[in-house]
Amino acid sequence: MIVPDKKTEAYLNEPVSPKGVLRLCRAGVLPSSDFLRAAALCRCDKKWGKFIALILRFFAGLSFLAAAFFLMIAKWAFFYRTGGFVCLVLLLIFCMCLRRKSAVADYVGAGLTGILVFLPDTVFATNSFLYEQFFLWFVLLLFWSLSSSRGGLRLLTFVVLNAAICLYGVLFALPSFVFSAMTFFVLAAVFDLSCLLFWENFPFKTPEGKQKCFRLFALAGAMLFLTAAAGAQCFSARLPNSGDLAFLFCFLCSGAVGYLYVVRFYDQSVRRLTELFSVCWICLLLYRVFYAFDCSDELRLALFCTAVSVLIVVTLIGERLFVARVKGDKNVL
């Protein structure tokens, strides 16, 4: 098609719209008498429907935030009554009906199960332990997530379970000396790693993105527990004892994870996570070693800071060399 200039050609290459028809009329390509007919032909009713739906969603979100704000001002007094519980239960049933079609309803329902677990203790002062409430929420989330195909709900279930385990140790197991700090945190890390092995060999297929997300979070939880075990032994006493086995568990975990997800099945996120926690564990070990020496605190601190600086520089150089080798770049340094 021959057009008078580049500007008119750009108008013709744009998607069909009433605004484009008006530009063509002004350029003289389309007669002005045909403007209304052409605008009616290119009108898109679905576009207006999407625009109206967007406006309604905006006002719905705004009203929800306003309701939450005024409920905070009222100190949630409405939910301390029978009507509040009934309202929450009805909202949960409503979310159950819409969870197949709406991800928002699915996640809101998961949050409502937690509210229904924690609210009775606030209203009726049942004096139940916080870790018991988290374990109950975990059980409800487990049943809720099993009937859903969304990986985020399974992650939320795992997060609540780890929070329940931490609260159980902090509020009951450690103060009552049921477990030592190292034993408890190592057992919690072994539990997280067991969950990861179970997830990696789960009977039904899971999308690769969700698989990697759960893998990263489970490893992060296990490594945080191992860091807590090493830190408890590092700062509790400055003389070497059997508690230094926590560092052995840390580096065994680092070596096993590095072999699985760097050598066998490469995962860049897991590799970087392992590097980060390995550096933390080596720093804790250096702290343990330097404070076992009989010297002044100033000299210990100077040696420790120097060693940590050298360790970080070596780690950064090693990371850069590894990435360059993977990419095949010979001029990395």
Side-chain angles (χ1 to χ4, degrees), residues 32 55 139 147 159 165 218 235 243 276 290 292 314:
S32 302
I55 295 296
V139 173
S147 59
V159 170
I165 293 173
F235 297 106
L276 175 63
F290 284 132
V314 170

PDB file of all heavy atoms in Angstrom, residues 32 55 139 147 159 165 218 235 243 276 290 292 314:
ATOM      1  N   SER A  32     -13.561  12.332   6.331  1.00  0.00           N
ATOM      2  CA  SER A  32     -14.190  12.677   7.609  1.00  0.00           C
ATOM      3  C   SER A  32     -15.604  12.129   7.715  1.00  0.00           C
ATOM      4  O   SER A  32     -16.091  11.826   8.809  1.00  0.00           O
ATOM      5  CB  SER A  32     -14.204  14.194   7.792  1.00  0.00           C
ATOM      6  OG  SER A  32     -12.902  14.714   7.741  1.00  0.00           O
ATOM      7  N   ILE A  55     -11.488  -0.909  37.616  1.00  0.00           N
ATOM      8  CA  ILE A  55     -11.973   0.121  38.537  1.00  0.00           C
ATOM      9  C   ILE A  55     -12.651  -0.509  39.750  1.00  0.00           C
ATOM     10  O   ILE A  55     -12.443  -0.098  40.909  1.00  0.00           O
ATOM     11  CB  ILE A  55     -12.942   1.079  37.804  1.00  0.00           C
ATOM     12  CG1 ILE A  55     -12.197   1.859  36.708  1.00  0.00           C
ATOM     13  CG2 ILE A  55     -13.586   2.044  38.791  1.00  0.00           C
ATOM     14  CD1 ILE A  55     -11.128   2.781  37.231  1.00  0.00           C
ATOM     15  N   VAL A 139      -1.612 -28.232  61.078  1.00  0.00           N
ATOM     16  CA  VAL A 139      -2.486 -29.356  60.721  1.00  0.00           C
ATOM     17  C   VAL A 139      -3.613 -28.885  59.797  1.00  0.00           C
ATOM     18  O   VAL A 139      -3.924 -29.525  58.777  1.00  0.00           O
ATOM     19  CB  VAL A 139      -3.048 -30.023  61.990  1.00  0.00           C
ATOM     20  CG1 VAL A 139      -4.087 -31.075  61.628  1.00  0.00           C
ATOM     21  CG2 VAL A 139      -1.928 -30.647  62.803  1.00  0.00           C
ATOM     22  N   SER A 147      -5.611 -30.270  49.130  1.00  0.00           N
ATOM     23  CA  SER A 147      -6.667 -30.188  48.121  1.00  0.00           C
ATOM     24  C   SER A 147      -6.440 -29.046  47.142  1.00  0.00           C
ATOM     25  O   SER A 147      -7.356 -28.662  46.418  1.00  0.00           O
ATOM     26  CB  SER A 147      -8.027 -30.006  48.801  1.00  0.00           C
ATOM     27  OG  SER A 147      -8.036 -28.834  49.601  1.00  0.00           O
ATOM     28  N   VAL A 159       6.504 -23.276  56.296  1.00  0.00           N
ATOM     29  CA  VAL A 159       6.937 -22.144  57.132  1.00  0.00           C
ATOM     30  C   VAL A 159       6.292 -22.215  58.513  1.00  0.00           C
ATOM     31  O   VAL A 159       6.957 -22.031  59.550  1.00  0.00           O
ATOM     32  CB  VAL A 159       6.583 -20.813  56.436  1.00  0.00           C
ATOM     33  CG1 VAL A 159       6.786 -19.637  57.381  1.00  0.00           C
ATOM     34  CG2 VAL A 159       7.426 -20.612  55.199  1.00  0.00           C
ATOM     35  N   ILE A 165       8.137 -25.516  65.322  1.00  0.00           N
ATOM     36  CA  ILE A 165       9.292 -26.228  65.881  1.00  0.00           C
ATOM     37  C   ILE A 165      10.192 -25.271  66.662  1.00  0.00           C
ATOM     38  O   ILE A 165      10.650 -25.577  67.767  1.00  0.00           O
ATOM     39  CB  ILE A 165      10.070 -26.924  64.748  1.00  0.00           C
ATOM     40  CG1 ILE A 165       9.227 -28.049  64.153  1.00  0.00           C
ATOM     41  CG2 ILE A 165      11.392 -27.473  65.259  1.00  0.00           C
ATOM     42  CD1 ILE A 165       9.842 -28.687  62.932  1.00  0.00           C
ATOM     43  N   ALA A 218      13.599 -25.150  52.038  1.00  0.00           N
ATOM     44  CA  ALA A 218      13.902 -26.238  52.958  1.00  0.00           C
ATOM     45  C   ALA A 218      15.379 -26.253  53.319  1.00  0.00           C
ATOM     46  O   ALA A 218      15.755 -26.446  54.491  1.00  0.00           O
ATOM     47  CB  ALA A 218      13.490 -27.579  52.339  1.00  0.00           C
ATOM     48  N   PHE A 235      29.194 -19.564  71.317  1.00  0.00           N
ATOM     49  CA  PHE A 235      29.137 -18.474  72.282  1.00  0.00           C
ATOM     50  C   PHE A 235      28.853 -18.947  73.715  1.00  0.00           C
ATOM     51  O   PHE A 235      28.902 -18.158  74.640  1.00  0.00           O
ATOM     52  CB  PHE A 235      28.068 -17.465  71.872  1.00  0.00           C
ATOM     53  CG  PHE A 235      28.356 -16.808  70.557  1.00  0.00           C
ATOM     54  CD1 PHE A 235      27.630 -17.154  69.429  1.00  0.00           C
ATOM     55  CD2 PHE A 235      29.365 -15.876  70.432  1.00  0.00           C
ATOM     56  CE1 PHE A 235      27.886 -16.564  68.207  1.00  0.00           C
ATOM     57  CE2 PHE A 235      29.632 -15.277  69.225  1.00  0.00           C
ATOM     58  CZ  PHE A 235      28.901 -15.623  68.099  1.00  0.00           C
ATOM     59  N   GLY A 243      30.651 -30.318  72.111  1.00  0.00           N
ATOM     60  CA  GLY A 243      29.691 -29.504  71.392  1.00  0.00           C
ATOM     61  C   GLY A 243      30.184 -29.049  70.037  1.00  0.00           C
ATOM     62  O   GLY A 243      29.402 -28.602  69.207  1.00  0.00           O
ATOM     63  N   LEU A 276      27.005 -19.012  51.001  1.00  0.00           N
ATOM     64  CA  LEU A 276      26.732 -18.027  52.049  1.00  0.00           C
ATOM     65  C   LEU A 276      26.802 -18.654  53.434  1.00  0.00           C
ATOM     66  O   LEU A 276      27.478 -18.139  54.343  1.00  0.00           O
ATOM     67  CB  LEU A 276      25.359 -17.402  51.817  1.00  0.00           C
ATOM     68  CG  LEU A 276      24.856 -16.432  52.892  1.00  0.00           C
ATOM     69  CD1 LEU A 276      25.774 -15.222  52.976  1.00  0.00           C
ATOM     70  CD2 LEU A 276      23.424 -15.995  52.601  1.00  0.00           C
ATOM     71  N   PHE A 290      39.986 -18.854  67.624  1.00  0.00           N
ATOM     72  CA  PHE A 290      40.791 -17.739  68.120  1.00  0.00           C
ATOM     73  C   PHE A 290      40.550 -17.478  69.606  1.00  0.00           C
ATOM     74  O   PHE A 290      41.480 -17.111  70.333  1.00  0.00           O
ATOM     75  CB  PHE A 290      40.501 -16.477  67.309  1.00  0.00           C
ATOM     76  CG  PHE A 290      41.150 -16.471  65.955  1.00  0.00           C
ATOM     77  CD1 PHE A 290      40.434 -16.135  64.823  1.00  0.00           C
ATOM     78  CD2 PHE A 290      42.483 -16.811  65.812  1.00  0.00           C
ATOM     79  CE1 PHE A 290      41.021 -16.129  63.579  1.00  0.00           C
ATOM     80  CE2 PHE A 290      43.083 -16.811  64.570  1.00  0.00           C
ATOM     81  CZ  PHE A 290      42.348 -16.471  63.437  1.00  0.00           C
ATOM     82  N   ALA A 292      39.954 -19.655  71.779  1.00  0.00           N
ATOM     83  CA  ALA A 292      40.528 -20.736  72.586  1.00  0.00           C
ATOM     84  C   ALA A 292      41.979 -20.449  72.954  1.00  0.00           C
ATOM     85  O   ALA A 292      42.538 -21.106  73.840  1.00  0.00           O
ATOM     86  CB  ALA A 292      40.429 -22.064  71.835  1.00  0.00           C
ATOM     87  N   VAL A 314      38.580 -14.255  49.384  1.00  0.00           N
ATOM     88  CA  VAL A 314      38.819 -15.523  48.689  1.00  0.00           C
ATOM     89  C   VAL A 314      37.515 -16.094  48.143  1.00  0.00           C
ATOM     90  O   VAL A 314      37.459 -16.624  47.027  1.00  0.00           O
ATOM     91  CB  VAL A 314      39.502 -16.519  49.651  1.00  0.00           C
ATOM     92  CG1 VAL A 314      39.551 -17.908  49.043  1.00  0.00           C
ATOM     93  CG2 VAL A 314      40.910 -16.050  49.975  1.00  0.00           C
TER      94      VAL A 314
END
